Amino acid sequence: MFAAIKNGIVQCVCDKPFTMEDADVFESQEITNKNIGQRYKEKNNGLKVAFVTNWNVPCGISTFASYLVDELSKYVEVKIFAEKHNNNLLELDDKSVIRCWKRNNKMDGCVEEIRKYNPNIIFTNFEWGLINNGSHLLKYIQDISAYPNVFITHSVWPEHHDKNMILATMDNIIVHSESAKQALIDDGVNCPIYYIPHGRFLPETHAKPWNILKRQQKIITYGFLFDYKKIETIIDAIEILKAKYPEILFICFASHSGYFNNIHANCYQKLLQRVNDKKLQDNIVILSGFFSNKTLKYYLLSSNICVFSHEAEVLGASGSVSLPLKYQVPVIASGRTKQFEDFNNILPQPSTPEELAIEIDRFLSDKEYIKNQIEKQNLRIIEN
């Protein structure tokens, strides 16, 4: 890939060398994020970004943070002001991480460390599960107002006006769906609100692993286990499909977070009971714990379909969908939530177990349907 650069900004890219008037052009060198980033970084030497987030723990928000920091660090200096943890770290922190605040507590220690760093801008990775005390959040918003600052707001609750009145005091907000932006506007939030879709991995081609599972029809889902994930919808669809596919296998990777162990355990037991009641023990496996993306990669490559069956009023965007799209696995999303709205008319979005069973059956029986679905998914990713 080759790029034309003007004032440190990529103007366009092409798969062959080319020139552009009034542009500095890499004519004979392959362009990568690294060397484009280095050029930009040299022009912005000294620009410092403070990123307040949970970090390096089993959590979707933390995973999002790691991808974002990896990219930002190519262009500017980034210091991470992270939640304190006694355990569950996925790896050792490096010198760019300062652990200085506790979940759902006052943010004074974090603000003190930020002031020492004196950044040019502050980004806060915000989710209500991280700071659920409105008084603490208002004080934090006040204390960082001396700096340009942006809140990356992952969840918007349209009917929770108590939460939205807090968001209305923020200086700048990023959301990941158009409906989330509109909900905040409708509730009177008049600060700048920026809709930025979730980034997606470019599609990759990998050989499928050996079929160690010894089944021909394999369905997978994964994510933190909460009631709104509606895994029972998939269980009920498997019950319908078993008549046609007696050996069908559904694997659910039910991740757990230490902050919600009781909730996860309750959901897990209810799902196991449902499987037992329907006598689907030979067709459904529900595994609890935390599973790395590397592990999920091989299960995805071994599967026919990945299904997400959410039902939630919260507005945002699913980050989990990125992984199966990356590995070119057909995805079925849910029609009972707006968390997949950036894939409207791209991913099938059934609403009932019966509709889901029909979609799964099409993927299991129609190779042309699979081919067309993968092409649509890949095109959407490239366009995004």
Side-chain angles (χ1 to χ4, degrees):
M1 188 68 69
F2 298 82
I5 315 294
K6 186 174 182 179
N7 298 327
I9 305 298
V10 177
Q11 305 295 312
C12 57
V13 295
C14 184
D15 59 358
K16 297 179 180 179
F18 61 91
T19 60
M20 175 180 284
E21 186 178 359
D22 298 326
D24 299 321
V25 182
F26 295 95
E27 294 187 24
S28 60
Q29 179 183 354
E30 185 177 5
I31 301 306
T32 66
N33 282 342
K34 184 176 180 180
N35 57 30
I36 292 175
Q38 183 59 38
R39 184 182 179 91
Y40 186 91
K41 197 168 187 176
E42 289 169 358
K43 291 192 174 187
N44 293 276
N45 189 32
L47 187 61
K48 300 194 299 184
V49 174
F51 192 26
V52 180
T53 182
N54 63 341
W55 182 255
N56 193 18
V57 293
C59 171
I61 305 297
S62 175
T63 301
F64 169 88
S66 69
Y67 293 143
L68 181 55
V69 169
D70 283 348
E71 291 302 315
L72 273 176
S73 298
K74 298 171 183 175
Y75 304 92
V76 294
E77 177 182 308
V78 181
K79 183 74 76 174
I80 299 154
F81 298 84
E83 177 188 15
K84 291 181 179 179
H85 272 276
N86 295 326
N87 49 37
N88 289 335
L89 293 185
L90 298 177
E91 58 186 31
L92 294 176
D93 290 336
D94 62 28
K95 63 182 180 181
S96 68
V97 181
I98 300 174
R99 294 200 174 269
C100 53
W101 57 277
K102 289 186 177 181
R103 184 174 297 222
N104 300 326
N105 278 261
K106 294 180 180 180
M107 298 294 288
D108 296 355
C110 179
V111 172
E112 181 180 350
E113 292 294 338
I114 288 173
R115 287 171 176 163
K116 292 177 185 176
Y117 181 57
N118 194 28
N120 299 94
I121 189 169
I122 301 167
F123 284 90
T124 300
N125 216 13
F126 179 68
E127 172 63 53
W128 284 103
L130 299 177
I131 311 175
N132 68 5
N133 184 310
S135 299
H136 296 338
L137 184 54
L138 283 174
K139 177 67 162 48
Y140 173 67
I141 292 169
Q142 169 197 283
D143 289 347
I144 65 171
S145 63
Y147 300 91
N149 67 86
V150 182
F151 283 80
I152 305 171
T153 304
H154 292 271
S155 299
V156 171
W157 299 83
E159 301 304 321
H160 278 258
H161 308 296
D162 55 328
K163 293 182 176 180
N164 295 339
M165 74 181 189
I166 304 293
L167 301 186
T169 66
M170 295 174 175
D171 290 342
N172 298 276
I173 296 174
I174 290 174
V175 293
H176 293 312
S177 73
E178 292 180 334
S179 59
K181 177 178 179 177
Q182 189 59 51
L184 292 179
I185 293 172
D186 291 346
D187 221 10
V189 179
N190 59 13
C191 71
I193 305 170
Y194 305 93
Y195 160 54
I196 302 178
H198 263 303
R200 306 295 180 190
F201 301 107
L202 289 175
E204 296 179 1
T205 301
H206 297 269
K208 285 189 173 294
W210 181 260
N211 187 12
I212 193 68
L213 297 171
K214 308 300 183 184
R215 304 287 181 100
Q216 295 305 310
Q217 300 88 28
K218 300 176 287 291
I219 318 301
I220 185 175
T221 194
Y222 60 91
F224 285 95
L225 189 57
F226 293 101
D227 281 335
Y228 80 86
K229 299 294 180 73
K230 295 298 178 184
I231 304 301
E232 58 266 31
T233 301
I234 309 177
I235 293 173
D236 293 352
I238 297 299
E239 181 185 31
I240 296 169
L241 290 161
K242 185 177 179 179
K244 183 174 181 178
Y245 304 102
E247 294 297 307
I248 192 170
L249 179 65
F250 167 48
I251 304 175
C252 173
F253 289 95
S255 293
H256 284 203
S257 163
Y259 293 101
F260 302 102
N261 273 334
N262 290 339
I263 294 174
H264 297 320
N266 184 51
C267 292
Y268 180 71
Q269 291 302 322
K270 286 193 297 185
L271 293 176
L272 286 183
Q273 187 61 52
R274 194 180 195 91
V275 170
N276 292 335
D277 291 345
K278 294 178 177 294
K279 296 180 170 50
L280 294 172
Q281 296 94 327
D282 292 335
N283 301 95
I284 297 177
V285 177
I286 304 174
L287 302 168
S288 63
F290 181 79
F291 306 92
S292 70
N293 283 356
K294 287 184 178 179
T295 296
L296 292 173
K297 168 185 175 179
Y298 295 107
Y299 279 96
L300 284 164
L301 291 172
S302 298
S303 300
N304 303 86
I305 314 160
C306 183
V307 180
F308 298 103
S309 53
H310 303 37
E311 181 181 348
E313 65 168 321
V314 64
L315 302 178
S318 169
S320 298
V321 72
S322 295
L323 212 56
L325 297 177
K326 176 181 180 179
Y327 299 123
Q328 302 191 62
V329 177
V331 176
I332 300 176
S334 171
R336 298 176 298 183
T337 180
K338 292 186 177 182
Q339 291 187 326
F340 302 96
E341 69 177 35
D342 50 340
F343 285 96
N344 285 348
N345 303 316
I346 303 296
L347 303 180
Q349 297 184 23
S351 297
T352 67
E354 292 77 15
E355 292 172 355
L356 176 57
I358 291 170
E359 283 298 334
I360 292 174
D361 184 31
R362 294 183 72 182
F363 280 117
L364 294 178
S365 60
D366 189 338
K367 292 183 178 180
E368 190 64 25
Y369 189 63
I370 296 172
K371 178 176 178 292
N372 291 339
Q373 180 60 38
I374 295 299
E375 288 176 354
K376 287 199 298 182
Q377 291 177 186
N378 289 350
L379 182 60
R380 178 66 180 89
I381 294 169
I382 293 169
E383 289 175 345
N384 193 32

